[in-house]
Amino acid sequence: MSQAQLSALADRIQDAWENGRICSLVGRGCRARIVRIARLLDAGRIDADRALRLAMEAEGAAMCFAPLPAEPAR
């Protein structure tokens, strides 16, 4: 797992919430998790295989939550 691959996963999640395919609340948290995973990988705190597993879990979780209906205008 490279930084480019982690960045691509984070970008896919962001794209999904921006296009209304997933919940933005969950998507933002999962994207933040992948960013944190990338930092841990950079720091040598986790290995590439574990980074891949954790990032794929975050992506999978993000894709499980549909967006909530929009709030009514006030």
Side-chain angles (χ1 to χ4, degrees), residues 1 3 6-7 9-10 13 17 25-41 46 50-62:
M1 170 108 316
Q3 290 298 329
L6 288 171
S7 184
L9 277 174
I13 291 172
W17 95 60
L25 299 171
V26 175
R28 288 177 183 166
C30 289
R31 184 187 180 285
R33 183 174 172 88
I34 292 173
V35 170
R36 174 84 50 92
I37 291 165
R39 288 189 199 131
L40 291 170
L41 181 62
I46 59 174
R50 185 167 183 210
L52 173 62
R53 283 191 310 274
L54 291 170
M56 289 177 67
E57 286 175 2
E59 182 186 33

